[in-house]
Amino acid sequence: MRFICRGIGTASVALLMAVPASAQKAPLPADRFTMRDVFDLEWAAEPQISPDGRRIVFARSGYDIMKDNQRSTLWVIGSDGADLRPLLPAGREAGSPRWSPDGTRLLYVSSTPDGHAELFLRWMDTGQETNLTRLAESPGGLAWSPDGAWIAFTMFVPEKVAPLAELPTPPPGANWGPPIKFIEGMNYRADGAGYLPTGKRHIFLLPADGGTPRQLTGGPYDDGAPRWAPDGRALIFPANRTPDADYNPNETEIYEVSVSDGAVKALTHRNGPDGSPAISPDGKLIAYTGFDDRDQWYQVTHLYVMNRDGSGSRMLAPKLDRDIQEPAWSRDGLGLYVQYDDQGDTRIAYLPLTGEIRPLAQGLGGLSLDRPYSGAAYSVSGDGRLAYTQGGPDHLADLAVARAGAAPQRLTRLNDDLLGQKKLGSLEEIWYKSGFDQRRIQGWIVKPPGFDPARKYPMILEIHGGPSAMYGPFFGADIQLYGAAGYVILYTNPRGSTGYGEEFGNLIHHDYPDHDYDDLMTGVDSVIGRGYVSPDSLYVTGGSGGGVLTAWIVGHTHRFRAAVVSKPVINWTSFVLTSDALSLYSRYWFSGVPWEHPEEYLRRSPLTYVDSVTTPTMLFTGEVDWRTPSAEAEQFYGALKIRKVPTAMLRIPDASHGVEEHPSNLIAKAAYILGWFNRYRS
C-alpha cells in the first residue's frame, strides 16, 4: 500500500528462468511489447531548469540487464530541445542535480569508486568537477545559499546506545552467527530500508568550495529538507520535533534555524502536518502545505502563506479541492507555481496571491514503471519557464517545457527507438455510475494490439493500491504486457482515490474495503456491456491496497475465473501491529486499536470471508516487505489451502513492497500473473 512511501524491492534474476510455461504459450509477434523489452525502457526524472531558463539538467534513467538494477546519470538539453547530450561519462551514476543561483555551477550526488554517495560540483563552462565531501552517510535535501557560497543538506547522524547486556567476545576464528537485534523504538523498521539504525537526520552546512560539513541542527528529531532565507542568515525546514513524535506522525511544523548559532524556532503551531516550505524572494512570506488534522482517512493538503515570523497565516485557493504539492515562488513574489492531481491527470498551475488559479501544463507523469500511477516532477526558472516530466499511455516520462502564454513543448522521446517499433494497447477513458450510490467513477480500458470489436476477449480488472492514490492515462509495463498477451484491461479510480476531492477520497473512512467493491464491479459490467469482453473470462489482480480489494472480491463473488492477490492486507489486526508505521494505521484507518474494536477489524478483513472463496487465487509477496508483511499473504494462502481452494504463492527473495528497482522482479511478477491467468483461461 502506498501509505507513506513506495518501497523498492530486490530479487534474483534467476526468477526469470522459472517463468511458468503457461505464460509462454506462443512467441509474440516482433511488434509486440515483451518482457525482454522492459530492460530497454528509459525515462527522465529530476528535471532542473537553469536560473536563466536556457538549459535543463535531468536524470536519464534505465535498467542494466547485466546487473539487474536501475541506473541513472545526468544529461543536459536546451530548453528549446536542442543539444541533448550526456553531462557525465558513460556509466557514471548520479542524481539530485541543483543549479547554483547564478547558473555557473551544478551540484549533484554521485558515487565514488568505493560506493559512497558524495556531493560533487561541476563548473558548467569548463566541465571541470570536484568531489566536495567525504561523508559517512548519504546526503539529501540539497540547497544552495542565495549567494552561492554555502550548501545546506541533510544527513543521518548515528547515535551510540549503551548495550543492555555485555556479551563475551568470540574467540578468534569463531562464527557465532549474525548480531542479535535489541529493539526498543516505536518505528524500528521501514519498507525498503529494513531494520533501522539508531539515530536521526539533521541539517549540515558545507562551504561551496569544499571543506568540513558543520552540523547545524541536533536532538532526538528527524529534520526535513532545508530552504534558505534570501538574506542567508537562516534556514527554513519541516520537522516533527514534538516529544512523542513517533506516536504523532502527522505533527510536523515549519521551523527556522539560525545559521550563526543553530537556534531553532517553530513558526507554525497547529494540530496537523505542515511541510514543503518556500520563502518569497523578498523574504517576507513563507508558503507551505498542510491541513488541520481530524484523524480522518483522507484529508486534502492545502496551500498556506504566512508572514516571515509565522503570523498571519491564510489559505490560498480554498476552493481548489485537490492536494497541492511542491509550491515554488515566482521571481516577482506575486504568486506561486503548484502541482496537483485532478481526475487522473497531473497539472501545474500558477496561483496568484490574489486571484484565481491559472493552469499552465497538464499531462505530467511517467515516473511509475509497472502500473499507470500518477507521479511527476517539475522545476521553474527565474523567467517563469517550467521544466517537467510528461507521461502518456504510449511512453514513460519525457522532458517537456511550458510557460504562460505559450503552448507546452515536449523536448525528448527517450523510448521512440523501442516503443516506436511496437504495437501497444490502445487506451480509452470511460466514466460510469457506481451501482451503490450512482457516483461517477472514472476508468480506462486498454485494448490489446490488433483489437477487433467483433471478437470476445478475456479481461483483467487491475486495481490500484494506496488506497489513497490515483491511476491515470499513463504507460504501465504490466498493462502493456497483459495487452500483448491478448487481454482487455480495465483500471479505475474507485472511491477513496485521490484527484477527486476530499469528500470522494474520504468515502472509505472507517469503511474500507466495502463500497469501492461496488464501484469496481459496476465498471466490469460497463465494459462487458460494450460487447467485446466475455463475461465468462474475467480475471482480477491488484497490488497492496489493490491486493486487499482483490482478496475482498474473491470472498464476495465467484464471477472471476482466477485472481492474483499481490502484497495484500488480509488480517487488519495483524497488519496494524506489524507494519512499518505502528502509530499510523489504527489511529487514522480505524475507530481505535484492534483489542478495543475487534468486530470492526474482523468485518473489514478479507480473511473473514475466506469460507466463501472458490476462485483459484495466487498470492504474491516480497520476503522483506515491511509495509504489508509476508505473513499477510501467508495467512490467506494457508486458509485457502486448508479449504482446498486452488492456490499458489509467489515469493520474491530480498524484495520489499515495490519491485521497480530490479527489473527481473517486475518481469517475474507480470509473467507469473499471466501464467496463473493462462492456466485458467477459457
Side-chain angles (χ1 to χ4, degrees), residues 334-411:
L334 298 180
L336 295 112
Y337 301 93
V338 296
Q339 177 181 312
Y340 62 95
D341 291 340
D342 181 50
Q343 297 186 351
D345 187 27
T346 301
R347 304 180 177 187
I348 303 174
Y350 177 69
L351 180 57
L353 293 179
T354 58
E356 295 296 320
I357 192 166
R358 304 171 190 170
L360 295 175
Q362 60 186 38
L364 278 75
L367 294 180
S368 176
L369 304 185
D370 57 342
R371 289 173 290 163
Y373 281 112
S374 61
Y378 86 99
S379 63
V380 59
S381 67
D383 64 356
R385 205 171 319 191
L386 301 163
Y388 59 93
T389 58
Q390 182 190 75
D394 58 350
H395 66 96
L396 287 172
D398 275 299
L399 275 186
V401 293
R403 64 187 309 173
Q409 178 186 2
R410 180 176 169 185
L411 302 184

Side-chain angles (χ1 to χ4, degrees), residues 199-202 217-223 239-245 255:
K200 298 294 181 182
R201 182 167 286 272
H202 294 301
T217 62
Y221 321 107
D222 283 309
D223 297 324
N240 187 334
R241 289 184 151 239
T242 58
D244 57 350
Y255 290 88

Side-chain angles (χ1 to χ4, degrees), residues 594-652:
W595 51 91
E596 294 178 352
H597 302 273
E599 298 83 4
E600 181 183 359
Y601 282 77
L602 281 170
R603 176 181 63 83
R604 293 168 56 185
S605 292
L607 186 62
T608 301
Y609 308 96
V610 73
D611 197 47
S612 299
V613 178
T614 60
T615 305
T617 301
M618 184 172 75
L619 285 302
F620 169 92
T621 183
E623 292 190 339
V624 289
D625 183 343
W626 302 129
R627 182 62 42 79
T628 56
S630 291
E632 294 300 311
E634 291 165 358
Q635 288 178 71
F636 211 52
Y637 177 79
L640 293 175
K641 277 296 182 185
I642 289 170
R643 294 198 57 252
K644 297 183 179 180
V645 176
T647 187
M649 181 162 53
L650 180 65
R651 301 178 64 88
I652 306 294

Side-chain angles (χ1 to χ4, degrees), residues 280-300:
S280 63
D282 62 7
K284 295 181 179 180
L285 298 173
I286 298 174
Y288 62 100
T289 62
F291 57 80
D292 295 302
D293 194 357
R294 291 161 283 160
D295 288 355
Q296 187 172 283
W297 179 293
Y298 173 63
Q299 300 171 78
V300 164

Side-chain angles (χ1 to χ4, degrees), residues 120-177:
F120 283 77
L121 189 64
R122 183 181 183 88
W123 283 260
M124 297 300 287
D125 56 348
T126 66
Q128 289 179 294
E129 71 169 13
T130 186
N131 182 350
L132 293 178
T133 57
R134 294 290 187 272
L135 302 175
E137 303 285 343
S138 298
L142 313 183
W144 284 91
S145 66
D147 61 5
W150 293 87
I151 296 163
F153 64 95
T154 62
M155 187 170 64
F156 180 77
V157 179
E159 178 186 348
K160 292 183 178 180
V161 179
L164 181 67
E166 294 289 345
L167 301 177
T169 302
N175 182 2
W176 286 12

Side-chain angles (χ1 to χ4, degrees), residues 48-55 98-105 331 380-385:
Q48 293 292 307
I49 193 166
S50 60
D52 63 8
R54 296 174 57 191
R55 291 179 292 175
R98 298 291 186 273
W99 290 93
S100 64
D102 61 4
T104 62
R105 293 164 293 168
R331 175 182 284 178
V380 59
S381 67
D383 64 356
R385 205 171 319 191

